[in-house]
Amino acid sequence: MSVLLALEGVSKRFGATLALDGLSLAMERGEFVALLGGSGSGKSTLLRVIAGFEAPEAGRVLLDGADQAGVPPQARPCAMVFQNYALFPHLSVFDNVAYGLRREGLPKLDIAARVGQALAMVGLEAMAGRRPHQLSGGQRQRVALVRALVKRPPLVLLDEPLGALDAGLREATGQELRALQRATGSAFVMVTHDQAEALALADRVAVLEAGRLVQCAPPQELYESPATRFVAGFLGGANVLEGVAGTDGLLHCPAAGCTLRLTTLVPPGSRAAVALRAERITLSAEGELPPENAATGVLRGVTYQGAGWLCTVALAGGQTLRVQVPADRAVPPPGVPVLLEWPVAANILLAE
Amino acid sequence: MSRLMLALGLGFLWLPILLLVGYAFSASAIPFQWGGFSLRWFAALAADERLLEAAWLSLRIALGAATLATLLGGLVGWVLARQRAFRGRALFGALAGAPLVLPEVVTGLSLLLTFVALQGLLGWPTERGATTVLLAHATLGAAYAAVVVQSRLSQLDRGLEEAAADLGASPAQVFRTITLPQIAPALAAAWLLAFTLSLDDVVVASFVSGPAGTTLPMLLFSRLRLGLTPEINALGAAILALAALALGLAAAMLHRHSSHSGRDRGKAG
């Protein structure tokens, strides 16, 4: 494995807004990285900077070790899949896919063979003669993907590739995407605002907030130990408890009205925040309140979510916690006092 | 009810023209009187050398003016649609479109003054005639072409051009393979607009033309003063037939092109 793409302190400004703020990231050959962030986090801008459509004001973009400053998009070893697919409406599916190969000046027979092969990869051989407007949304998405992949670029950039598909098609297409990525060996950078999509498909997930890289880690690590409050909230909507550290390795949280045991050492007297996932909390109607990692409150709302219940519980200190209860467990009616408990391992200390 | 409305609408548009075509085949010497079927006015038309000469001149002027107008107007439209901000952009846009709203008399007179001044300063154009009419019509047509091309260009998805560049196309290749095919219908529409504008213009042409530059509409107007003959009916019918033929050919070519390319690529894949 070697470094394919390196971003070094990349900054990009649009008028008064700083879209990218000194962002650094490295990725290896054949890796699948998801850029996750809300709207305005700079994730699409980053993709356009890598592709060469925007020039960064500061920092460097290195592809295969070569600085890309001043290199136009057509000379960069990457291919992009656009959010709206940007298929050429006046060309057939075949010509769309062949477009990049024709620019390389390959012999006609080679082009036909490679396009045929590429279309077969996504089961669209029969559609070669159609125009883009004669295809379904899913088919268009696959044509756009194949058009980028047929050039066998070391790096493929995908801007919300599943965003325009309906929910039923998304999961299957996502898996297909992942399989294609493995089969071709190209590195993928996928922009998405859907955390489930990012966690399911990527080798590493880079979380962006206001043009800065907040955390970049494998999905499991990102979910289980989010570095910041933003990441914890963005992935899975974790509860965040704030408090002051005591001398005994405990964190006293007045707003929650409870005491947490910390697994990491925190200087006594300092403020700290802990992420607590909704599915790690156990809810029961009665019982004795343990001294740590537990709280009492009043059940406020219950929402049925198929796989379980999402409960909101107002704690004694005033804070509201989200608690997930599995579907096979009984949920008391709203308005009754409840007891919440969770294991020590559920307390994730946040860096910020 | 809707059929009746359709019939009324079509009748409103086409009855006068059908009437003209009908009278073109009349034997009577009075243009609006039926005197039995005859082709004598078509024969008279074919023998009328002055009229044929004027028609040929009009056609050549229209071809040249439409082509020049599409080129110039296309460039103006490009600048207005693609050059986002430069000093005087709004003024440039307003000035480029001004001939659309200016009375033709004003346009004609100002062009005449320009040609006269140019002749005094540069010695060119040496005389007013076909060339000056062509230039005047190109000026007028360019304003229309600019509007048509600009509106098409601003609707165009820039993502398509970015995608082409991303797939390895140089800016020239992007223009030739992506942008040009996308705006081709607009260019064709602009050309046709400028062509018809030139073909039936009489006001501007009257100002800027000279003794050697009598276009068909100018000739027709001068003959009106002497009184109509059914020859004009025959001319109208002939022009109509030509226009129908041209439109039919264009439609057939478009149809063949689209279905042909589709089949072709299917085989290749």
Side-chain angles (χ1 to χ4, degrees), chain A residues 30-41:
Chain A
E31 209 184 356
F32 193 141
V33 171
L35 297 178
L36 181 63
S39 51
S41 60

Side-chain angles (χ1 to χ4, degrees), chain A residues 48 51 53 73-74 78-80 82 84 86-90 92 94-95 99-100 103 112 128-129 131 147 151, chain B residues 157 159-160 162-171 173-174 176-178 181-182 258 261-262 265-266 268-269:
Chain A
R48 294 178 58 81
F53 297 129
Q74 63 264 30
C78 53
M80 185 143 159
F82 289 77
N84 62 357
L87 296 177
F88 308 131
H90 60 294
S92 65
F94 182 92
D95 288 335
Y99 191 88
R103 303 284 87 76
R131 293 285 173 90
R147 186 178 68 175
K151 292 194 77 177
Chain B
D157 178 10
L160 294 180
E162 286 183 343
D166 192 61
L167 291 165
S170 66
Q173 284 174 327
V174 171
R176 187 170 56 77
T177 59
I178 304 300
Q182 297 284 312
S258 60
S261 67
R265 310 303 180 214

Side-chain angles (χ1 to χ4, degrees), chain A residues 18-34:
Chain A
L18 200 57
L20 294 173
D21 187 2
L23 194 142
S24 296
L25 178 71
M27 74 183 279
E28 291 179 340
R29 230 163 254 293
E31 209 184 356
F32 193 141
V33 171

Side-chain angles (χ1 to χ4, degrees), chain B residues 127-254:
Chain B
E127 55 166 17
R128 284 181 298 285
T131 312
T132 46
V133 176
L134 190 150
L135 288 177
H137 284 175
T139 314
L140 210 57
Y144 287 86
V147 172
V148 174
V149 172
Q150 184 200 349
S151 86
R152 177 72 190 123
L153 270 174
S154 41
Q155 285 166 10
L156 208 64
D157 178 10
R158 293 301 293 272
L160 294 180
E161 292 172 2
E162 286 183 343
D166 192 61
L167 291 165
S170 66
Q173 284 174 327
V174 171
F175 180 78
R176 187 170 56 77
T177 59
I178 304 300
T179 318
L180 201 56
Q182 297 284 312
I183 62 170
L187 289 176
W191 191 90
L192 280 174
L193 211 61
F195 183 78
T196 47
L197 211 69
S198 166
L199 208 57
D200 70 14
D201 167 73
V202 69
V203 179
V204 174
S206 305
F207 274 101
V208 299
S209 188
T214 307
T215 63
L216 186 63
M218 286 167 72
L219 183 73
L220 290 183
F221 265 85
S222 69
R223 283 196 181 176
L224 267 181
R225 264 175 271 154
L226 305 173
L228 281 171
T229 72
E231 205 182 313
I232 291 180
N233 291 346
L235 179 68
I239 290 177
L240 202 66
L242 276 177
L245 193 70
L247 277 176
L249 270 177
M253 262 168 62
L254 266 171

